[in-house]
Amino acid sequence: MSNRLIGKVIVITGSTQGIGKTIAHFCAKEGAYVVVNGRNSETGKAAAKEIETMYGTKAVFIHADVSTEAACRELIEKTIAYFGRIDGLVNNAGIFPRGTILETEEPDFDAIFAVNMKGAFFCSKYAIQEMLKTGGGSIVQIGSTNAYKGAKELVAYSCSKGAMLTLNRSIAAHYAKDGIRSNWVTVGWVASKGEIELHESMGISEAQLKERAKTAVPTGEMQTEEDIAHGVMYLLSDESKQVTGTELDINGGLGL
Ligand code: NAD
């Protein structure tokens, strides 16, 4: 890797832990100015400081719960106030409570759609507004194989990611002429902090989770956060300047 994002301002939603945090580190390593986002100011400020110390770039934490339009607008407005522009947005913030269609009730449905879909929609809206002024940018939607399969035990989550997939195609189709690209990464199965905690709450240890993945994932193992971040770097960088509306599967063949 070598400065593929030098001088670019990149916002990563939900980047105080998990896949988002690793993406934020990769962006900084590639020379970007980084906006770390999340809901916990203490963790977020520490995460931004760690990035500045490790990579010598500028990183700022912006507190925002991306489940409302107002918060998404504020996130982008504060980014502009701090850095003056936005070149990349990674819609990574996500929640994944489990439930079949028979078990899912409205509060859970609304919460899942508010973060996963509404958040991606309105962060994209305000980012596009700014990118139009500066000649373009790159948006990456962190998706899931469940968008295609509609997992029985994660049905509302799957539907929210399916809507995000449509958002990806819509932005790609309508803003390519403005230099704004949108691409989707199909994440397979990653032992992120959130995924480990979810399984532990069901009595499944991290070791058991990884053992299950050996049979479930065609490549025989889970993806790492770094596997996902490598693909995101390509999509944020100018190396992919002719790539838009694509769906990059980083899922060990899970979707096949
Ligand atoms: P994680 O729980 O470790 O991280 C999710 C992050 O999103 C956290 O930092 C959390 O604080 C943040 N977040 C949640 N709600 C938010 C809100 N309202 N506002 C701002 N931030 C918020 O989980 P992860 O596995 O790293 O998930 C990252 C993304 O990857 C999600 O979109 C998830 O759907 C997707 N994904 C993960 C897997 C997997 O196997 N881990 C598989 C497919 C897709």
Side-chain angles (χ1 to χ4, degrees):
M1 294 195 279
S2 55
N3 293 333
R4 288 182 296 171
L5 302 180
I6 203 105
K8 291 187 191 290
V9 176
I10 313 283
V11 177
I12 306 106
T13 67
S15 46
T16 57
Q17 68 170 48
I19 296 169
K21 183 175 180 181
T22 299
I23 293 171
H25 275 247
F26 270 50
C27 285
K29 217 185 294 178
E30 291 286 0
Y33 301 124
V34 174
V35 174
V36 175
N37 158 255
R39 295 159 299 169
N40 182 320
S41 295
E42 205 179 318
T43 322
K45 282 179 187 164
K49 199 170 166 45
E50 183 184 50
I51 287 175
E52 289 196 326
T53 309
M54 284 178 75
Y55 309 104
T57 186
K58 282 227 158 302
V60 63
F61 170 70
I62 300 180
H63 179 280
D65 174 337
V66 298
S67 60
T68 67
E69 176 175 5
C72 297
R73 186 177 62 230
E74 209 178 300
L75 171 60
I76 305 301
E77 278 175 1
K78 285 187 175 169
T79 299
I80 301 304
Y82 198 85
F83 286 118
R85 57 184 294 125
I86 173 169
D87 302 286
L89 166 69
V90 182
N91 282 319
N92 167 81
I95 55 171
F96 27 89
R98 295 175 75 82
T100 65
I101 191 166
L102 299 178
E103 291 160 353
T104 302
E105 293 181 355
E106 196 174 355
D108 259 353
F109 179 95
D110 286 346
I112 292 167
F113 266 75
V115 181
N116 301 0
M117 177 52 199
K118 207 207 288 186
F121 188 97
F122 286 110
C123 284
S124 298
K125 169 180 169 177
Y126 291 102
I128 289 169
Q129 222 166 62
E130 293 302 323
M131 288 170 177
L132 285 170
K133 297 177 193 167
T134 52
S138 173
I139 301 176
V140 180
Q141 318 287 356
I142 300 298
S144 164
T145 47
N146 292 312
Y148 304 92
K149 291 194 302 186
K152 186 177 181 188
E153 306 286 341
L154 277 161
V155 67
Y157 169 81
S158 303
C159 292
S160 72
K161 291 291 184 181
M164 198 183 184
L165 183 59
T166 306
L167 173 70
N168 183 53
R169 291 181 183 175
S170 175
I171 296 170
H174 301 295
Y175 292 93
K177 63 178 184 336
D178 301 301
I180 299 171
R181 303 182 292 111
S182 181
N183 290 289
W184 151 285
V185 172
T186 321
V187 178
W189 206 2
V190 177
S192 61
K193 192 160 186 264
E195 189 69 7
I196 292 167
E197 282 170 1
L198 176 75
H199 281 79
E200 282 174 349
S201 74
M202 299 185 298
I204 301 163
S205 69
E206 184 176 343
Q208 287 168 322
L209 171 66
K210 289 183 172 162
E211 200 52 40
R212 283 186 183 194
K214 281 187 185 168
T215 47
V217 184
T219 54
E221 58 183 329
M222 298 180 91
Q223 291 74 66
T224 64
E225 293 175 356
E226 288 74 14
D227 291 330
I228 308 304
H230 280 301
V232 174
M233 291 311 104
Y234 169 65
L235 294 171
L236 286 172
S237 79
D238 294 339
E239 288 173 358
S240 61
K241 66 186 188 323
Q242 285 300 315
V243 180
T244 193
T246 199
E247 291 150 36
L248 176 59
D249 294 350
I250 309 180
N251 59 9
L254 248 189
L256 300 173

